[in-house]
Amino acid sequence: MSNNINANVLKNFIIDTIGSEKLTRNQAQKVDIDANKYTEANVDENAYLDLDEIMDDKDLYEQFATMYVEEQDKETEANAEKEKEEEAKVKDKGESKA
């Protein structure tokens, strides 16, 4: 699944999700990143993970890729629902004129 996501697109999604290019432990908790996975990825033991560390860590990469796909699915579903509502309005207007 995540192999089909462009790395730059995923990087932009991560930045949008966490609000910066650095992921702190608190931010990780807010976006439901497993604390153990965060610790394992933090090889230099800074107070944060930078974007490259996230992209290089298989588990974190996969978690963000999954979040991205879920977000895309929600948007697709919302757009489909909106389209159905618009079609129903057009149909109702057409029937009322007839």
Side-chain angles (χ1 to χ4, degrees):
M1 157 185 44
S2 63
N3 294 337
N4 297 333
I5 300 172
N6 180 292
N8 289 327
V9 170
L10 188 58
K11 284 181 181 182
N12 289 333
F13 173 76
I14 292 169
I15 292 169
D16 289 344
T17 301
I18 63 177
S20 73
E21 290 188 12
K22 297 179 183 345
L23 177 66
T24 65
R25 184 175 297 279
N26 288 340
Q27 289 169 320
Q29 288 175 332
K30 288 179 185 176
V31 294
D32 295 326
I33 298 294
D34 184 285
N36 293 330
K37 300 297 181 195
Y38 177 91
T39 302
E40 289 171 12
N42 196 0
V43 292
D44 56 8
E45 298 179 7
N46 286 342
Y48 60 85
L49 294 175
D50 64 31
L51 195 53
D52 290 332
E53 288 174 307
I54 294 169
M55 296 298 287
D56 289 342
D57 185 85
K58 179 183 166 229
D59 292 324
L60 291 180
Y61 182 97
E62 189 64 35
Q63 283 185 309
F64 276 106
T66 300
M67 281 186 236
Y68 175 79
V69 170
E70 289 172 353
E71 190 71 26
Q72 294 301 304
D73 289 347
K74 286 179 189 176
E75 287 179 21
T76 300
E77 189 175 305
N79 289 340
E81 187 64 32
K82 190 174 183 179
E83 196 172 300
K84 283 182 185 179
E85 289 173 6
E86 289 175 9
E87 287 175 6
K89 287 179 185 177
V90 169
K91 183 179 177 184
D92 290 342
K93 283 183 180 180
E95 289 176 357
S96 65
K97 289 181 179 180

